[in-house]
Every structure is written in structure tokens, then in C-alpha cells.
Amino acid sequence: MKTFEIETLGCKVNEYESAFYASQLEKAGFCHAAKGEAADVLIINTCTVTNTAAAKSRRKINRLKRENPNAFVAAVGCYTQMLDEQQRQALHVDLIVGASHKDQLASTIIEAMNQKQSPGQKIDLVEESRDLTRFESMPIGSFEGQHRAFLKIQDGCNQYCAYCQIPLARGPERSQLPMEVVKSAQDLAASGHLEIVLTGIHTGRYHFRDTNLTKLLEMLLENTSEEVCYRLSSIEITEVSDELLDLMAASPRILPHLHIPIQAGDDRTLARMKRPYTVAQFEKRLEQIRKKIPDISISTDVITGFVGESDEEFETTKQTLSDCRFSFLHVFPYSRRKGTAADAMTGFVDGHKAKARTDELLALSKQLRKDDMARFERSQMLIEREEPGQKNWYIGYTSQYHPARIFSMTPLRGRINVKMTESADERYTVVVED
Ligand code: SF4
């Protein structure tokens, strides 16, 4: 039996796509290579979001073909999409795929292997990302060993924030057909998944004809069993509509957690980042969300050391983050990316300063998590698995997306009502609620 191995860099969407490639290869009769065993097929699912991610992608591509000269090596994704023809020519791989042709990756690999390319010959399927219009459907029927499943419903972005290469690396917005989304969710539900996370690059911009994200959620609620809950991976504040909030408030099956990237908490920084809101607008909307859904937790992304970020701007950002009472922060130091508006700006912040600011915000995130966790005495928890190395301890997340652990002598599964007994190290210890 032929074997494969996939190396994944970057975001949750990349992880999803790697899971899809694995499922397609398994369907075609391949199996995962055992640890330490040389695989017949190697896929590197690359990333370009930061300089470090791009450099790691480059190193992995170069290393894998050198160490596995007999394997079929495919480089896929955002890093390869951003390379010019000459740079792609220089890569030592058998197949290069960018932002398109991902849905046929497994069949392309199998066909190329059967045709036996001559050494040094490579297939290059990268095309201009701005021309992409088709959503490539990548359904995954089951996520083995997990109660939480992911479902990619959208790809690409038209927003062009000043620091971000994603619109170039993934192309324009495109969404999956609503009926296909429903069918994938039904398959996941039939495989026993109790929570489905709708994911994409710019999920809030999901739209297909007159079906927007709220309508899609309504269709999903209607067409899957009552025990299946939904979570949104991330959404922009400008896309949290009144109709979405009404639906969330009315349906306990849409879990009370939103991840809303703020990126900076100072109007001057936000304007340079080309983000489509001011701090006051963001805060006002947060208030409205919390009024409608009092038990919601809201987390966020922040970039430190963006071009021109002064000490004063950073202090304002820090204050804003506290005022907004986020449940936790994902903090990233700014990384200069070619082809973005910020790349042409002046006033780059010293790397050490950006790192110190990142550390400060990570410390703040711990405090914010603690404060948010203290708001809840009860919640629901989706059991994910037994904690590695901890017999009879089970781990999972609460509805508000805080990590939790629970002790049980009998195996636990599914979603349970829990009472919090303790919270330490950004995690609850809980017991089953009587
Ligand atoms: S919304 Fe902005 S940050 Fe997010 S993917 Fe689009 S351009 Fe990048």
C-alpha cells in the first residue's frame, strides 16, 4: 500500500485543507506513513502570513525533496501562490499547486505518479489568483476521534487590509453553494459530530446569491438534528448583523462565542491598517452584541508593532483591549509582506519593541481570560478526549470556548452540563451539574 505524509503550516483553513487531502488520498487507497518510515507522497501545505511562515515553508520544501529523493513531493498553498514563475522553477518538487486545483490534488498526484515524470520535471498548476471565481468544494465526511468538526464554507478576501497578503495569496471572495454546505453538515452529523465550526478566510462575507451567513445558519439549523451545534470561526465586527444576533439570541444551537479581530485599539493605527471601523464603532457594536446575548464571550486578534505604531498608540490599544473585556487575545507581531500597502510605508517598528509589546499583550490576555472565566458558574462542555497521560481526566471546551477538564471513572462523551469548581492556568476544572 502506498503511503503519504502531510506537513501543514499556518492557519485553521490550511489545517482543514490538509485534512481534506488526507481523506482524498485515503479514499484512493493510500495510508498515513508510519513514524520514521519514508512516505511515497509528501505534501507541504505552505503559508505566507508572516516572514517566518514563508521561510519555514521554503526550508521544508527544500529539505523534504533532498531527504526523500524517491518520494513524490507536492508544494501547495499560499507560499507557492506568491512565488513568481522563476522562483517556482527553482523549487525541487514534483508538483506545485497555489490557490486553485486544491480540490483535485489527490487525483493530480496519482495521475502524475502513474505517468512517471522524468527526474527534474515538474507540474506547475499555479494561476493568477485574482482570476479565481470558483469555490473549490472540499467536503470531509468525518474527523476521526473528534466531536468537533470543521466545515469550510468560504475562501478568499476582497478587503485588502494594509498588512495582509491573503487577498493576493488566496484570491477574491467565493462561497460554497448553500445546499452543498447543508449536505456536508448532514454527513458530519451522521458521523456523530456534535459541533460544527464554520470556517473560511473571511467567513462573515459568506454569500451565495441571496443566501448570506445568517440565512445559511438558518438552513443548517433546520436541516440537521437538534443536538448538532454550530460555531463561527471568526467574523469581522462590520459583519455581525442584527439578523445574525437575533438568530444567535434565539438559538442555543449557535454557541455563544465570537472571535472578532480588532487588530489595534487606536484609531490612528486602525486607519493606517485600513481597517473599516473606528474604536468607538467597534465598542458600540460590542455593547449591542452583549446586550442581545449576555452570556457571550468575545475573543480577538491583535497585531503589535504595526508600521508607525508609537508608544502612545500602543498604550491606547492596550487600554482599549481591557475596556473591550475580550475573553482572550491572539497576539501577532507585525510582519512585513511584499505587495501589501504597509510594505510601502515608512516608520517600521523595531523587532525587539514589537516583541516586548507582544509579551505585554499576552500577559494581558491571561488576565482577560481569567476575568471572563470568572463570569460563569455553569455552562456546557463538549468532551473532546481523555487528557493525554491523565487517566480518567477528560478535556474539552465550554460553549464560550474556554478550555475545561473533568474527572470521571466512567467514559464521558458528547455535550454535558457542567458546574465550574476551579479555574487555574486559563482552564476550568468542572463537575457534571446535578
Ligand atoms: S479581512 Fe483583512 S486581515 Fe482578514 S484576510 Fe482579509 S485582508 Fe487579511
Side-chain angles (χ1 to χ4, degrees), residues 145-157:
Q146 286 176 228
H147 283 124
R148 175 178 298 112
F150 295 83
L151 176 48
K152 182 182 159 193
I153 60 167
Q154 188 278 343
D155 205 343
C157 179

Side-chain angles (χ1 to χ4, degrees), residues 142-150 191-194 383-385:
S142 167
F143 289 74
E144 237 185 81
Q146 286 176 228
H147 283 124
R148 175 178 298 112
F150 295 83
S191 301
H193 293 293
L194 296 174
I383 302 290
E384 297 205 345
R385 56 178 186 278

Side-chain angles (χ1 to χ4, degrees), residues 12-24 26-27 137-144 146 148-152 176 180-181 183-191 193 196 199:
K12 290 262 182 251
V13 180
N14 259 17
E15 277 174 31
Y16 179 92
E17 290 170 350
S18 286
F20 172 76
Y21 305 146
S23 72
Q24 294 301 99
E26 278 164 0
K27 266 191 203 151
S137 184
M138 299 191 198
I140 301 173
S142 167
F143 289 74
E144 237 185 81
Q146 286 176 228
R148 175 178 298 112
F150 295 83
L151 176 48
K152 182 182 159 193
Q176 185 165 28
E180 282 181 5
V181 178
K183 168 79 176 62
S184 295
Q186 286 170 334
D187 289 346
L188 290 168
S191 301
H193 293 293
I196 298 177
T199 180

Side-chain angles (χ1 to χ4, degrees), residues 157 159-161 163-164 166-167 201-202 236 263 275:
C157 179
Q159 194 161 285
Y160 288 90
C161 299
Y163 49 83
C164 185
I166 294 302
I201 294 299
H202 199 146
E236 294 281 325
Q263 307 298 13
R275 298 288 291 169

Side-chain angles (χ1 to χ4, degrees), residues 1-5 25-26 28-34 37-41 70 72 109-110 113-114 116:
M1 194 183 259
K2 292 232 181 285
T3 57
F4 70 91
E5 202 181 307
L25 284 168
E26 278 164 0
F30 286 67
C31 67
H32 273 281
E37 182 197 297
D40 298 298
V41 172
N70 298 323
F72 185 95
I109 290 173
I110 294 163
M113 285 173 87
N114 289 341
K116 298 205 177 16

